[in-house]
Amino acid sequence: MAIETPKDYTAFSAETIKAYVCDSPALAAIVGGKQSDLKTVEVGDGNLNLVFIVEGPSGSLIIKQALPYVRLVGESWPLPLKRSFFEYHALTRQTNAVTSGARVPEIYAFDEANALIAMEFLAEHIILRKGFIAATIYPKIAHDLGTFMAQTLFRTSDLHMETAQKKGDVALFVDNVELCDITESLVFTDPYHDAELNSWTTPELDRLALSLRTDRDLKVAAQLMKQRFTSNAQSLLHGDLHSGSVMVTQDDTRVIDPEFAFYGPMGFDTGALFANYFLAYFSQDGHAEAPGSRDAYQEWLLSTVMDTWASFETSFRQLWHEERTGILFPRTLFEDQDDAIGSEQALTRVLDELLADTIGFAGTKMLRRLVGLAHVEDLQSIEDPKRRAPCEANALAMGRELLVGRNHFSGMGQLCALARAIKSRGVSL
Ligand code: SR1
Ligand code: MG
């Protein structure tokens, strides 16, 4: 289906963005100087958008602009510009929802006609995924991301929000149709049939990749998770919370790029992050400078899995006790009747369900990065397919176990034990 691009939209270049910035009083005041003083570069390396760094004598900023098509594929795959509108509104809600831990960049301006957001340039930060590839330890990410997820997911849910506001917001974000459609196809369906844009390390991974299509338990599980994705408007999700959507320094963590935002199941965001921790884990053997040289880093990744969930749970429990002001599990049924045990029982049930969702979604998010359209740099940057394929085979085995066995894990410790066991026995190609 062709999507019409509005007439007043211009896709900028590193050169033409200079005049745009100078013509905007708010942006010109940040960068300072004249047009000829500005240094600009286009640095977008994601799948969808243009990203410009603009530096002037007084300051710098980032401009992220949506293209009317999928950058990764080209103009043959049109994609509406309105994703920028959803990203902007998700960023404002996340700004309000987070009071500690990871934050989103400061937003300077939103231009709906040009599908463009101007925001803080995080010059010192790098993309977390690149940090993982370089085996860099980030001591704060577990706390910061666990807290970010708990705060954004709890505070945009029926556990906290006023009902009219929540339903109004669900109605606003439900129009992010095309981005949801990408997820519905690319994450939940395409890996399990001969979708045109699928790819994998061939021929090494052929047998395992093709086995997904005849794995009945796996296909049913993937569709059950898809059903939870499409039919469960629990919270405002980031919608694409992988390690490429996180920027870090040693002491600061930021979450970027919520253009896939919509109201969906909490476990989709948490699952995405844990999937990417495990993808990073299995990729390390392909980056190891000598056998075993990344073992300690892999253990740090697993400790980060544990600590992120612990931080998420701690923060979620605190919000449950202090900010449960919405329509679900009202205090009138529990605390106001001196029934603290009932409140704890309900919280345990909610967290158990969330853990199972997290694990199931994590499984789908791992598998799609191994045999679907969009792969991850953790694995793609292992140049030798003979080294890459065993890492991918291990990750594929983990993804399958998580998806099919999602209701049978008691906690993140079991997932870490499974990851270690898969690494140590190695999956046959
Ligand atoms: C066609 S877009 C492919 C993927 O890139 C984004 O990061 C999302 O994960 C999407 O599924
Ligand atoms: Mg993105």
Side-chain angles (χ1 to χ4, degrees):
M1 184 187 59
I3 292 167
E4 223 172 280
T5 303
K7 284 187 211 50
D8 43 1
Y9 167 86
T10 311
F12 290 105
S13 67
E15 201 45 47
T16 59
I17 200 71
K18 291 178 183 172
Y20 178 86
V21 170
C22 288
D23 287 347
S24 156
L27 302 185
I30 293 169
V31 294
K34 311 182 292 296
Q35 194 173 319
S36 56
D37 297 324
L38 300 185
K39 289 200 183 77
T40 55
V41 57
E42 201 278 316
V43 293
D45 64 352
N47 296 328
L48 301 179
N49 307 295
L50 297 170
V51 180
F52 302 100
I53 298 172
V54 182
E55 292 178 288
S58 330
S60 55
L61 50 85
I62 285 278
I63 291 194
K64 177 175 175 181
Q65 185 177 36
L67 285 164
Y69 55 85
V70 174
R71 185 175 186 169
L72 173 70
V73 176
E75 295 186 27
S76 62
W77 187 341
L79 198 62
L81 299 170
K82 66 183 177 185
R83 64 186 187 273
S84 179
F85 169 91
F86 296 112
E87 176 163 358
Y88 169 71
H89 285 286
L91 285 165
T92 62
R93 282 150 183 75
Q94 290 166 345
T95 301
N96 293 333
V98 294
T99 46
S100 59
R103 291 174 295 135
V104 302
E106 186 182 344
I107 304 304
Y108 300 144
F110 171 52
D111 173 351
E112 188 170 358
N114 282 307
L116 164 167
I117 302 170
M119 62 189 116
E120 182 182 5
F121 173 39
L122 301 168
E124 306 297 320
H125 294 65
I126 70 161
I127 294 286
L128 177 58
R129 192 186 300 291
K130 292 185 187 293
F132 286 163
I133 294 167
T136 307
I137 284 176
Y138 294 101
K140 287 190 81 238
I141 59 166
H143 167 269
D144 289 354
L145 293 174
T147 309
F148 174 90
M149 293 190 297
Q151 292 178 348
T152 56
L153 298 174
F154 188 96
R155 288 178 171 151
T156 61
S157 76
D158 286 312
L159 293 166
H160 177 76
M161 276 177 94
E162 194 264 310
T163 185
Q165 193 194 6
K166 163 84 174 357
K167 286 171 176 64
D169 229 33
V170 171
L172 180 91
F173 280 92
V174 82
D175 194 30
N176 202 3
V177 176
E178 291 79 5
L179 282 274
C180 287
D181 181 42
I182 286 179
T183 301
E184 287 152 14
S185 301
L186 265 51
V187 175
F188 296 106
T189 299
D190 289 359
Y192 310 95
H193 77 112
D194 59 344
E196 196 188 334
L197 296 172
N198 282 350
S199 70
W200 56 82
T201 302
T202 187
E204 290 83 355
L205 219 63
D206 285 357
R207 183 185 67 81
L208 292 172
L210 294 171
S211 74
L212 267 54
R213 300 179 190 175
T214 54
D215 189 335
R216 201 168 285 140
D217 291 342
L218 189 66
K219 288 192 291 186
V220 170
Q223 290 306 297
L224 288 170
M225 294 316 296
K226 185 177 185 177
Q227 180 170 261
R228 290 188 76 70
F229 178 81
T230 58
S231 328
N232 193 1
Q234 248 179 344
S235 296
L236 179 62
L237 306 186
H238 175 284
D240 200 21
L241 192 50
H242 53 73
S243 51
S245 297
V246 179
M247 296 189 72
V248 283
T249 64
Q250 284 296 303
D251 42 37
D252 189 48
T253 313
R254 303 294 189 100
V255 175
I256 61 170
D257 279 0
E259 65 210 309
F260 283 78
F262 87 115
Y263 275 83
M266 296 183 185
F268 188 73
D269 270 3
T270 49
L273 183 64
F274 287 101
N276 279 267
Y277 285 161
F278 287 119
L279 288 168
Y281 175 86
F282 287 110
S283 74
Q284 296 300 320
D285 292 324
H287 295 296
E289 298 72 14
S293 67
R294 295 253 180 151
D295 287 2
Y297 190 68
Q298 285 178 307
E299 281 305 309
W300 175 78
L301 283 167
L302 296 186
S303 73
T304 299
V305 167
M306 299 297 294
D307 294 348
T308 301
W309 183 264
S311 156
F312 172 77
E313 185 175 336
T314 301
S315 182
F316 195 95
R317 282 181 180 277
Q318 186 178 349
L319 290 161
W320 176 275
H321 291 300
E322 295 175 2
E323 298 191 22
R324 210 172 75 251
T325 52
I327 57 174
L328 288 180
F329 304 97
R331 299 178 78 82
T332 45
L333 300 190
F334 301 104
E335 286 84 350
D336 295 354
Q337 297 179 20
D338 284 332
D339 187 11
I341 294 175
S343 170
E344 286 305 313
Q345 190 178 316
L347 173 56
T348 301
R349 289 290 296 271
V350 167
L351 283 169
D352 285 351
E353 190 174 291
L354 187 43
L355 178 69
D357 270 6
T358 300
I359 295 170
F361 284 121
T364 64
K365 298 283 265 182
M366 290 181 75
L367 295 175
R368 61 79 56 110
R369 296 295 189 190
L370 300 162
V371 301
L373 164 68
H375 290 235
V376 287
E377 194 182 342
D378 312 59
L379 291 154
Q380 292 306 103
S381 60
I382 304 167
E383 276 174 27
D384 179 356
K386 296 270 175 285
R387 285 195 79 181
R388 184 170 68 242
C391 302
E392 292 173 325
N394 287 349
L396 206 85
M398 178 91 181
R400 184 190 184 280
E401 290 298 310
L402 297 190
L403 182 46
V404 172
R406 64 195 178 284
N407 295 313
H408 305 295
F409 294 94
S410 61
M412 286 295 160
Q414 282 188 338
L415 267 60
C416 293
L418 176 63
R420 286 188 193 98
I422 290 173
K423 169 183 152 72
S424 98
R425 73 169 179 262
V427 171
S428 314
L429 290 168

